[in-house]
Amino acid sequence: MVENVIIIGSGPAGLAAAIYTAREEFKPLMIKGAGAGGQLLLTTDVENYPGIERIAGPELIRSMEKHATKFGTRFLEGDVTKVDLKSRPIKVYVGSKLYETHTLIISTGASAKWMGLASEKNFIGRGVSSCATCDGFFFRGKPIAVVGGGDSAMEDAIFLTKFCNSVTVIHRRDSLRASKIMQERALANPKIKFVWDTVVEEVIGDAKVTGLRLKSLKTGEASEMKVGGLFIAIGHQPNTELFKGQLELDKEGYIVTKDDVLTGIDGVYAAGDVADRFYKQAATASGAGVKAALRAREHISILKFEEEQKSKQR
Ligand code: NAP
């Protein structure tokens, strides 16, 4: 059986594509990988999704899934291990199982970046984390540091004050990248301190993290800070490993698209953070998912028309 539409990835881009293609009665097959649900599952409150004043990230995803299911989306749990985008139909493998499809929507999202220190890697799961919503609870009562100056770092710092009385944001510059409202909330929170123009040079500890070695980028001065945990919130990198050598990627690994979602291969579309180095919002990802769905619909109707012409000639 050849599917009309396979969607890889189940964040807002994939789910919006699923809702639209399901309403076309294409019965899309969504393959949900290890990071099912995407970054919204790791977010606390979403306050900027148009039409919804405030909703928890996981609840927004659950609601989109329910919506997509209602119109006939089918879900498959598993990680896609290989794709062949040039073959017709397009081939998608989940382990040894092969799925074939006329169109493919790639919405594999992005994953948290790490600083790249050997000591950081050593302590992942032992005091170093990139997910405050997942792990914050385990740091109850401990002094915590958050690295980063964007919305993720502010959101994490604010969230962590639920569990900890002392949260220190360590930022490499002297001004924040975060949106104004998030900056204001973090700066006004009495439990949050800021260390500016500073980077972490080493994570220190034994069985668990006990401190950080810091370096001021202004003075070059080294210092130590006692912490019970470190949260890294320095942005994300696109999940495009699977497509290397088959799709054009930019130097940071994002899928290069034309007209927002066209990958350069007929029938293959990219939507959401996997192809978005700039906007990275749930709302823009949903919009891209809709665009990919409409392109898939156009492609399928051309295939159907060509098929009809051929059968008339027979
Ligand atoms: P981001 O906006 O790219 O910010 C990353 C931050 O980490 C920047 O302040 C950057 O410093 C710093 N950084 C990057 N590499 C670093 C390194 N190696 N060492 C130390 N610091 C480093 O990423 P984000 O905060 O994850 O946000 C991504 C997107 O998601 C944004 O569009 C944001 O608006 C959105 N978002 C929104 C919400 C919300 O609305 N509630 C929540 C989370 C994310 P520089 O500033 O010096 O570059």
Side-chain angles (χ1 to χ4, degrees):
M1 173 190 163
V2 178
E3 302 286 346
N4 279 315
V5 185
I6 286 183
I7 301 165
I8 313 178
S10 56
L15 286 165
I19 292 165
Y20 268 68
T21 52
R23 287 188 77 246
E24 294 290 334
E25 300 190 336
F26 289 147
K27 297 196 179 350
L29 177 65
M30 172 169 277
I31 306 181
K32 300 167 76 168
Q39 292 169 58
L40 278 184
L41 281 195
L42 312 176
T43 306
T44 46
D45 291 328
V46 177
E47 293 179 333
N48 51 11
Y49 198 84
I52 303 175
E53 279 177 34
R54 188 174 191 173
I55 188 168
E59 202 186 326
L60 179 57
I61 285 294
R62 271 194 298 277
S63 166
M64 286 186 184
E65 273 187 12
K66 203 170 148 206
H67 193 169
T69 307
K70 179 184 158 192
F71 291 117
T73 303
R74 293 161 301 136
F75 293 91
L76 176 80
E77 308 267 343
D79 278 314
V80 173
T81 46
K82 197 169 95 178
V83 290
D84 183 347
L85 305 180
K86 290 267 166 64
S87 70
R88 287 295 172 269
I90 298 157
K91 290 183 168 52
V92 176
Y93 295 86
V94 177
S96 58
K97 183 104 176 78
L98 168 66
Y99 297 86
E100 292 188 305
T101 182
H102 293 306
T103 64
L104 179 68
I105 296 175
I106 298 168
S107 49
T108 45
S111 303
K113 269 188 198 163
W114 297 97
M115 295 183 294
L117 303 171
S119 55
E120 168 194 47
K121 203 171 173 194
N122 280 344
F123 284 106
I124 290 174
R126 296 192 294 129
V128 172
S129 167
S130 66
C131 180
T133 23
C134 324
D135 300 332
F137 179 81
F138 302 113
F139 295 84
R140 192 173 280 277
K142 292 183 178 168
I144 295 294
V146 175
V147 180
D151 278 329
S152 298
M154 297 311 107
E155 187 175 72
D156 285 2
I158 294 164
F159 177 73
L160 288 164
T161 59
K162 280 188 186 181
F163 310 106
C164 320
N165 287 327
S166 165
V167 177
T168 306
V169 173
I170 301 166
H171 184 35
R172 64 184 178 182
R173 291 189 298 128
D174 64 358
S175 62
L176 297 168
R177 178 179 293 278
S179 56
K180 200 158 183 292
I181 190 165
M182 295 298 280
Q183 289 195 28
E184 282 169 2
R185 282 182 195 167
L187 289 164
N189 190 316
K191 293 182 179 176
I192 301 176
K193 285 181 288 194
F194 288 81
V195 175
W196 305 104
D197 300 303
T198 298
V199 289
V200 175
E201 289 225 300
E202 194 185 348
V203 183
I204 307 165
D206 32 59
K208 291 194 169 166
V209 170
T210 56
L212 304 173
R213 201 159 54 76
L214 306 178
K215 184 181 162 193
S216 162
L217 294 180
K218 269 216 161 135
T219 62
E221 205 178 304
S223 61
E224 282 197 11
M225 178 190 278
K226 280 191 179 162
V227 295
L230 174 67
F231 286 84
I232 313 293
I234 60 171
H236 294 83
Q237 60 200 13
N239 298 323
T240 47
E241 197 60 35
L242 204 53
F243 312 107
K244 272 186 184 159
Q246 299 194 56
L247 289 180
E248 187 187 348
L249 307 180
D250 71 11
K251 64 179 189 324
E252 286 177 58
Y254 290 90
I255 296 174
V256 175
T257 53
K258 209 175 102 217
D259 292 337
D260 295 338
V261 295
L262 306 182
T263 64
I265 298 187
D266 275 354
V268 180
Y269 312 99
D273 284 8
V274 73
D276 173 9
R277 56 176 20 258
F278 187 74
Y279 302 107
K280 300 176 183 178
Q281 304 296 305
T284 53
S286 302
V290 172
K291 290 180 190 177
L294 297 176
R295 292 289 187 168
R297 177 181 73 176
E298 186 186 32
H299 186 77
I300 292 165
S301 70
I302 291 170
L303 289 181
K304 281 200 176 136
F305 176 76
E306 286 171 355
E307 192 52 42
E308 277 165 21
Q309 295 301 311
K310 271 189 209 156
S311 64
K312 273 186 197 159
Q313 284 162 11
R314 276 184 217 129

